[in-house]
Amino acid sequence: MNKMGTITGFTFKNKVKTKSFMVTTIVLAILITIGLNVPYFITLFNGGPIGGGTSGNNPVNIGLLTSGQPEVSEKLESFSSAQGDQAYRFIAGGDKDEAALQADTEAGLTDGYLKFEAVAGQEFPQPILYSSDEVSPQIIASIEAALQSVKLDVVVRDVLTAEQKELITTPVKLTQESLSTEEGAVGAESDNGMSPINYIVVYLLIILLFTSTMMTGNMIASEITAEKSSRIMEILITSVSPLSQMFGKIIGIFLVGILQIGIFGAVVAANMLLPHNVDVLGDFNMNLSDINTAVIVYGLIFYILGYFLYAVMFAAIGSMVSRTEELGQAVLPITMLSLVSFYIAIFSIATPNILLLKVASFIPFTSPTAILVRIGAGVAPTWEILTSLVILAVSILVFGWLAAKIYRTGVLMYGKRPTFKELFKAMKAYKI
């Protein structure tokens, strides 16, 4: 056990101190930071649209050209004022003509002005917004909603009561309930499917699990192959048992992966908590407090178990290869398994109740990503999650036992990559 701990510590320190690890971690952290702040950078450099969001401190001031359509202008101003705190406000132009309102906009007193042009054959005029700069889509949508309400009021006039008008303008929201929803589902969402913020979290966790497993798995296989090809393995095998070597390397590189994930997680969290990014999430009705903690917890558990399942297979394959040039072809079947797991989850993320995803949740090679989608959507009962965990844990024990046998035999076999038939013959001859 002490020797395995030594191998683990040596592997961890050796990998963390390498320039490739440091450069990769720093570059990816910078790219993550840039990616998360791209909308802010765009706004910063081009001045951005007027009224970046409804949470802005300075409302957009829009002048109203009242001449010609006083009734519409008055109702629009009254409606907007009644809404309370708005990201925009209308300023009645009074006796000002269009030239005066345009001069106010150019002088910076207002951000633009709204003009109403009569349209032949229509009772409601055509509104036109003139502005010095582009107005944000959120502000445009709010103004259009206000105009729609005023239009209804103008067209129907006194035919309908205030309650009837309010009922007509209230949008209808469709709520869908599944007849096949099972009781005991973890992290069930109130609406159909995942909330936007949980959709993003699940999507990122799937990508993280796939990329991290592939990177660390190839790292394990290449290190074992490199030691074997340089004949260092023959020296190591005399002082440390093959089993301690294999699991020492697997655990050491696992700690490297966890460290890197922790760094990236801290970078993402720090960037998402920046005020301008919180405002962006608010504009899309997303809140960090809405994140389903079950997705994070189970995501970490399935990541760890999925890592060890693939890691023991990568270690076994690495022990069978004598030259690093042959490693890419040797690990191709494992890479294909991981790709299948990745694509099943990614392409089923919008339909978490399909049969393919349910079946994949119980197959150890695909369950880490497949069950994560179902947990995120709140359609995975607790018994399914626990069953998937048990199957995955048993698979790790079985494949770990098999990989240990292959490793003990493979590290001492040189030349042409042995077939599994030749491996089993050697294992029988060595009584392994």
Side-chain angles (χ1 to χ4, degrees), residues 69 116-127:
Q69 297 290 339
F116 296 97
E117 289 187 352
V119 179
Q122 293 187 15
E123 190 173 352
F124 193 78
Q126 172 64 48

Side-chain angles (χ1 to χ4, degrees), residues 224 246 311-321 402-404 406-407 423:
I224 293 171
M246 185 183 82
V312 294
M313 293 193 294
F314 272 108
I317 295 296
S319 68
M320 295 167 57
V321 180
L402 183 61
I406 294 174
Y407 188 92
L423 263 177

Side-chain angles (χ1 to χ4, degrees), residues 345-359:
I346 286 294
F347 290 128
S348 305
I349 198 168
T351 52
N353 259 328
I354 61 172
L355 181 61
L356 174 63
L357 207 59
K358 290 180 179 180
V359 173

Side-chain angles (χ1 to χ4, degrees), residues 151-340:
K151 178 181 178 181
L152 176 66
D153 196 27
V154 169
V155 172
V156 299
R157 297 188 185 278
D158 298 326
V159 176
L160 301 177
T161 64
E163 290 77 12
Q164 290 173 325
K165 293 176 185 177
E166 184 179 357
L167 181 62
I168 292 174
T169 55
T170 302
V172 177
K173 184 178 181 181
L174 177 66
T175 301
Q176 182 178 351
E177 294 291 342
S178 175
L179 294 174
S180 61
T181 300
E182 300 179 62
E183 294 184 2
V186 174
E189 299 287 343
S190 58
D191 297 322
N192 184 45
M194 301 181 214
S195 63
I197 191 70
N198 284 319
Y199 186 98
I200 294 171
V201 169
V202 170
Y203 197 90
L204 291 177
L205 284 174
I206 292 171
I207 294 174
L208 179 65
L209 195 149
F210 170 73
T211 54
S212 181
T213 302
M214 287 295 97
M215 287 175 62
T216 52
N218 279 286
M219 203 182 294
I220 292 168
S222 61
E223 179 151 331
I224 293 171
T225 303
E227 289 178 355
K228 184 178 175 181
S229 62
S230 63
R231 301 282 179 168
I232 294 175
M233 188 65 73
E234 294 177 1
I235 301 172
L236 291 173
I237 209 78
T238 59
S239 55
V240 183
S241 69
L243 203 63
S244 296
Q245 283 186 51
M246 185 183 82
F247 284 105
K249 291 180 186 300
I250 288 173
I251 296 172
I253 293 178
F254 166 72
L255 294 176
V256 173
I258 287 292
L259 175 63
Q260 202 168 40
I261 289 172
I263 293 171
F264 295 153
V267 170
V268 170
N271 280 281
M272 294 307 292
L273 291 174
L274 292 174
H276 57 266
N277 284 330
V278 173
D279 289 344
V280 170
L281 290 175
D283 291 339
F284 289 96
N285 295 321
M286 291 189 287
N287 197 314
L288 294 177
S289 62
D290 294 334
I291 294 176
N292 187 351
T293 53
V295 176
I296 304 295
V297 173
Y298 281 115
L300 181 61
I301 295 172
F302 276 100
Y303 165 75
I304 294 172
L305 295 178
Y307 164 83
F308 278 104
L309 177 64
Y310 280 95
V312 294
M313 293 193 294
F314 272 108
I317 295 296
S319 68
M320 295 167 57
V321 180
S322 300
R323 296 187 303 167
T324 53
E325 294 84 359
E326 300 175 355
L327 186 60
Q329 184 180 358
V331 300
L332 186 60
I334 306 177
T335 304
M336 294 303 295
L337 270 177
S338 186
L339 280 170
V340 168

Side-chain angles (χ1 to χ4, degrees), residues 49-199:
I50 300 173
T54 57
S55 58
N57 294 323
N58 299 318
V60 176
N61 295 316
I62 301 173
L64 280 176
L65 185 59
T66 58
S67 59
Q69 297 290 339
E71 182 188 6
V72 174
S73 300
E74 183 182 348
K75 288 181 180 293
L76 183 60
E77 186 181 1
S78 300
F79 177 85
S80 298
S81 299
Q83 300 305 306
D85 185 23
Q86 290 280 341
Y88 69 95
R89 65 183 176 190
F90 290 116
I91 301 173
D95 297 331
K96 291 184 179 180
D97 57 9
E98 185 174 357
L101 290 176
Q102 184 175 348
D104 288 346
T105 301
E106 292 173 352
L109 299 177
T110 60
D111 296 302
Y113 65 94
L114 190 63
K115 177 183 177 181
F116 296 97
E117 289 187 352
V119 179
Q122 293 187 15
E123 190 173 352
F124 193 78
Q126 172 64 48
I128 302 173
L129 177 62
Y130 295 92
S131 61
S132 54
D133 293 302
E134 180 189 359
V135 180
S136 74
Q138 290 86 0
I139 301 297
I140 294 293
S142 297
I143 295 174
E144 286 177 343
L147 286 167
Q148 186 67 31
S149 180
V150 171
K151 178 181 178 181
L152 176 66
D153 196 27
V154 169
V155 172
V156 299
R157 297 188 185 278
D158 298 326
V159 176
L160 301 177
T161 64
E163 290 77 12
Q164 290 173 325
K165 293 176 185 177
E166 184 179 357
L167 181 62
I168 292 174
T169 55
T170 302
V172 177
K173 184 178 181 181
L174 177 66
T175 301
Q176 182 178 351
E177 294 291 342
S178 175
L179 294 174
S180 61
T181 300
E182 300 179 62
E183 294 184 2
V186 174
E189 299 287 343
S190 58
D191 297 322
N192 184 45
M194 301 181 214
S195 63
I197 191 70
N198 284 319
Y199 186 98

